[in-house]
């Protein structure tokens, strides 16, 4: 049997403004739910919030950036590309000028919750800062099956319907719930 690597990607370009950061959090959450990666939502949303906050606070000449999430080979990578070529530095609690400061530790937080992270210059186009999260081993990959509601009222997976002259198929699907479509590209 030949197995193929399943890759899922989602990217969006935005200005890293506080109101937009909340929207990106919701988009990332919805996309990960769509990919059946619910256990990664909390860490991914936390990490993307920290990266976008850094763009909002520090990036020059503008706040335009691209957020990309990619699921490949049981690994979720979240990256933010901005136009500022300066690479970020991690500030640990013992290194900071004020141990009671309420900001400045976003990358240390990403370092703590992610499997790996990094920053890479992109020449004249700025930099990319990224982090990875391992997918839970029991996470099914791909688009979820469409549940149908059986006679017992519980969810059951739809069985293939044999097609003859068409009347059997119409009778067999009558009363079943139609599949919902996501507005999130995937």
């Amino acid at each position: 049997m030949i197995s193929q690597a399943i890759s899922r990607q989602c990217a969006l370009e935005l200005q890293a403004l506080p109101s937009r950061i909340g929207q990106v959090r919701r988009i990332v959450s919805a996309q990960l739910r769509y990919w059946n990666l619910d256990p990664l939502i909390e860490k991914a949303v936390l990490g993307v919030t920290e990266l976008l906050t850094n763009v909002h606070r520090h990036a020059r000449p503008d706040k335009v950036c691209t957020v990309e999430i990619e699921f490949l080979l049981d690994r979720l990578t979240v990256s933010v590309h901005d136009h500022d070529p300066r690479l970020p530095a991690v500030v640990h609690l013992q290194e900071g000028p004020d141990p009671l400061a309420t900001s400045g530790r976003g990358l240390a937080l990403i370092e703590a919750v992610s499997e790996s992270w990094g920053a890479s210059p992109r020449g004249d186009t700025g930099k990319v800062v990224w982090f990875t999260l391992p997918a839970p081993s029991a996470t099914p990959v791909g688009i979820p099956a469409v549940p149908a509601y059986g006679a017992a009222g519980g969810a059951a997976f739809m069985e293939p319907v044999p097609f003859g002259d068409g009347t059997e198929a119409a009778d067999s699907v009558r009363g079943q719930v139609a599949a919902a479509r996501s507005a999130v590209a995937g």
Side-chain angles (χ1 to χ4, degrees), residues 33-52:
R33 268 190 217 89
Y34 183 72
W35 290 342
N36 289 327
L37 296 172
D38 297 48
L40 301 181
I41 291 172
E42 188 176 328
K43 290 179 179 180
V45 166
L46 174 67
V48 79
T49 300
E50 293 300 327
L51 294 181
L52 289 174

Side-chain angles (χ1 to χ4, degrees), residues 14 34 48 59 64 73 94 114 125 136:
L14 67 137
Y34 183 72
V48 79
V64 175
L73 300 174
Q94 62 274 22
S114 69
T125 64

